[in-house]
Amino acid sequence: MSANPLRYRVALVSFPGIRAFDVSVITEVWGTDRTDRGVPAFDLRRVAADATPVPMRGGLSLTPDRTLAWLPRADLILVPGLDDHLTPAPEPVLEALRRAHARGTTIAALCGGAFALAQAGLLDGRRAVTHWNLVDLLRAHHPRVMVEPDALFIEDGNIWTAAGTAAGIDLCLHLVRTAHGAEAAATIARSMVTAPFRTGTQAQFIEQPTPRTDRDADALASVREYALHHLYEPLTVAELAARAGMSARSFARHFAAATGTTPLRWLLDQRIAAAQKLLEHTDLPMPEIARRTGFGSEITMRQHFASRLTTSPRAYRASFAAEAVRRGASLPRPVGTG
């Protein structure tokens, strides 16, 4: 049966040695029908050099349903991580990836999948990330790659790479958010029971609370919850630190250790996410959205959208506004708007 041309077409590139976990993540995000919950329809295809089942670790195998000839039809190409990061990927796969990049197709690699992109030469002179434990290996074998050790995921030249394991989920949700809007990504995240929003600039791993710091962790969680309900206020690090019972310096240090990012960067990320939701689900005017999300002015909100999302609030609304809003309906007034 032919694919619906209106579906967003995703290719999972398969070859011996790919990680079953990453295959599962890709399949869970793009291979599950959630159209009844407002998520767009996806057409996920398992693409390989031929129809031979692809072996994976643990006695598992993946049966391709398309050959590499299908890749020109894909809107997005995904490369799973590898069990043996130094095993050469098949040359037909590498050549197909080169041609896809030349066509301008978005390509994303999870975890050690960056090694396959590096073998294809697609990461030469580009910024890329991989699992923190593989950073030195990637640098040693692919010295032309600009390896970033402290990020969850990175984009450079329409090529995305992600750090290990859970960061692959973060990248997949981010790609959904970028193409289909924040609510679609949040719906998928809820069904996967995972965090809907972690930015690529966060550290790959964070210090875990010990019994001696549990009280600090609880205080930080309480402060974050307070901030989420008061985004419309001009929150400062000093104010948040006072609520946690810490000095500003101590608060910033503990916050970064617990979340992998700074208080101000975290606040900005939450404000952008809140603005995205209001743009998608209400017909509120731009100045009101800027006020409710703590940007203060439409100009400031527009500047941050341009910096983080490479688009404007108005363009974002035009792309992702919910159908109910297009019909003239709006949601009830959100909680915590002052």
Side-chain angles (χ1 to χ4, degrees):
M1 183 174 65
S2 61
N4 185 334
L6 297 179
R7 291 175 178 261
Y8 187 78
R9 292 165 299 212
V10 181
L12 191 169
V13 175
S14 312
F15 52 91
I18 58 174
R19 294 179 70 231
F21 178 86
D22 295 336
V23 170
S24 297
V25 168
I26 293 167
T27 303
E28 182 63 27
V29 172
W30 282 284
T32 300
D33 185 357
R34 300 183 179 92
T35 53
D36 60 329
R37 283 163 277 175
V39 177
F42 302 132
D43 181 19
L44 174 66
R45 297 295 174 175
R46 301 177 296 276
V47 176
D50 55 45
T52 305
V54 175
M56 297 184 292
R57 182 176 292 179
L60 302 174
S61 65
L62 181 149
T63 302
D65 54 15
R66 292 292 186 276
T67 67
L68 295 171
W70 192 82
L71 285 188
R73 303 180 60 188
D75 301 298
L76 171 66
I77 295 173
L78 295 157
V79 180
L82 312 172
D83 285 323
D84 183 348
H85 308 95
L86 299 183
T87 298
E91 181 56 34
V93 170
L94 299 180
E95 180 56 30
L97 291 173
R98 296 184 193 106
R99 290 196 299 268
H101 181 252
R103 289 191 299 269
T105 306
T106 299
I107 300 176
L110 278 58
C111 192
F115 284 81
L117 298 189
Q119 291 172 24
L122 297 180
L123 297 183
D124 287 354
R126 299 187 190 278
R127 297 166 60 244
V129 66
T130 188
H131 190 288
W132 61 267
N133 198 37
L134 300 174
V135 165
D136 291 340
L137 190 66
L138 184 58
R139 284 174 172 161
H141 287 268
H142 300 282
R144 298 185 64 186
V145 180
M146 300 165 60
V147 184
E148 299 280 350
D150 296 318
L152 292 179
F153 51 84
I154 285 176
E155 183 271 341
D156 192 335
N158 211 28
I159 295 178
W160 294 85
T161 50
T165 315
I169 300 175
D170 294 320
L171 174 56
C172 289
L173 292 175
H174 180 77
L175 291 170
V176 172
R177 185 182 302 109
T178 300
H180 307 288
E183 187 58 29
T187 299
I188 294 173
R190 283 194 296 270
S191 71
M192 294 174 64
V193 197
T194 189
F197 187 74
R198 287 207 302 171
T199 61
T201 54
Q202 286 187 219
Q204 288 198 30
F205 59 90
I206 59 178
E207 297 177 18
Q208 296 298 318
T210 65
R212 300 176 69 176
T213 60
D214 280 346
R215 182 176 299 178
D216 288 343
D218 290 342
L220 292 172
S222 177
V223 167
R224 291 197 299 273
E225 183 176 3
Y226 172 85
L228 288 173
H229 286 87
H230 293 80
L231 288 177
Y232 57 91
E233 296 182 2
L235 301 170
T236 65
V237 174
E239 177 187 351
L240 297 177
R243 286 190 163 272
M246 303 178 187
S247 68
R249 178 176 295 184
S250 178
F251 175 76
R253 184 175 67 253
H254 285 286
F255 195 97
T259 66
T261 190
T262 68
L264 290 179
R265 185 182 291 274
W266 181 87
L267 266 176
L268 177 58
D269 290 339
Q270 305 311 314
R271 284 181 165 138
I272 290 175
Q276 287 178 293
K277 187 170 184 178
L278 289 175
L279 288 166
E280 291 183 32
H281 288 282
T282 78
D283 53 4
L284 290 170
M286 295 295 167
E288 178 62 11
I289 291 177
R291 186 192 72 80
R292 291 192 183 196
T293 54
F295 287 113
S297 72
E298 182 181 351
I299 292 175
T300 301
M301 181 171 69
R302 186 166 61 245
Q303 290 171 339
H304 286 299
F305 263 64
S307 174
R308 290 296 183 88
L309 305 178
T310 64
T311 188
S312 69
R314 293 181 186 278
Y316 185 90
R317 170 173 273 174
S319 297
F320 301 119
E323 189 62 32
V325 174
R326 293 194 182 110
R327 293 196 303 265
S330 19
L331 293 183
R333 186 169 183 250
V335 176
T337 55

